[in-house]
Amino acid sequence: MTSTDGNLTVDFPDDDKLYLGSVVALRTLLEGYVHRVMAAYDEYLHGREGADVVLPKIEALAREYGDIIMGRNRHYRIAPWQERHRLGARLRYWYPEEIGRDDDPGEGYFRSLAAQCIAAAQEMAGGSMTDEEAGAELGEILQDNAERMVGLA
């Protein structure tokens, strides 16, 4: 870390890792997760795959993305303020009912996000919510979550 003219900057090695220290980067990551969950759940809704196939896929996605935000994926770089103990504590604080004490906070967060995606998909399938309404609702959730993880909210 360096300070120039009172501004704190973080120096990172020059490498190929994707940096998750911005709202845009986190929002993009979260959107990718939502698309993958919705695609998996769509297979279930259309009867192409059973719950015995779809649920393990979604659980695997939650583990994969949980590892990313908790700094355990070598292809991504988290910001210093996203260090796994700090972010883990914040995730547990924000989602106390969804993330148990023994759960991995990253995986628990993504399981919770998957549940929100599935609820929206069920409402769309039942006709109580349009695609646009579901997209807007999930978009607000993702923006809020990205801002929280970056420390803006």
Side-chain angles (χ1 to χ4, degrees):
M1 297 183 129
T2 59
S3 179
T4 10
D5 299 328
N7 294 320
L8 187 62
T9 60
V10 180
D11 299 320
F12 288 113
D14 187 22
D15 60 22
D16 304 10
K17 293 184 179 187
L18 300 170
Y19 178 61
L20 298 178
S22 75
V23 172
V24 172
L26 271 169
R27 172 79 188 252
T28 301
L29 180 80
L30 297 176
E31 286 174 352
Y33 176 76
V34 166
H35 287 291
R36 291 177 72 184
V37 167
M38 295 295 265
Y41 193 69
D42 192 55
E43 294 296 309
Y44 171 75
L45 284 177
H46 288 93
R48 293 185 287 263
E49 291 184 339
D52 60 325
V53 173
V54 172
L55 291 178
K57 280 184 183 180
I58 293 173
E59 286 289 327
L61 287 170
R63 281 189 299 280
E64 175 187 342
Y65 279 78
D67 283 346
I68 291 170
I69 66 163
M70 298 309 292
R72 295 185 298 256
N73 183 305
R74 64 184 178 90
H75 299 291
Y76 294 85
R77 181 177 309 289
I78 58 173
W81 57 88
Q82 295 167 319
E83 190 268 337
R84 83 177 54 148
H85 297 293
R86 289 169 135 184
L87 182 57
R90 289 194 316 227
L91 288 170
R92 281 191 169 94
Y93 175 76
W94 294 327
Y95 302 100
E97 294 179 20
E98 293 86 352
I99 303 173
R101 298 190 97 206
D102 296 330
D103 291 339
D104 176 79
E107 183 180 337
Y109 164 73
F110 280 104
R111 276 196 318 269
S112 171
L113 185 55
Q116 293 174 64
C117 294
I118 290 168
Q122 289 172 337
E123 288 188 37
M124 287 187 300
S128 61
M129 184 182 283
T130 66
D131 288 358
E132 292 80 21
E133 290 170 332
E137 182 178 303
L138 289 172
E140 287 177 26
I141 291 168
L142 298 183
Q143 186 67 26
D144 176 62
N145 283 244
E147 289 174 1
R148 283 181 177 200
M149 284 189 230
V150 171
L152 297 178

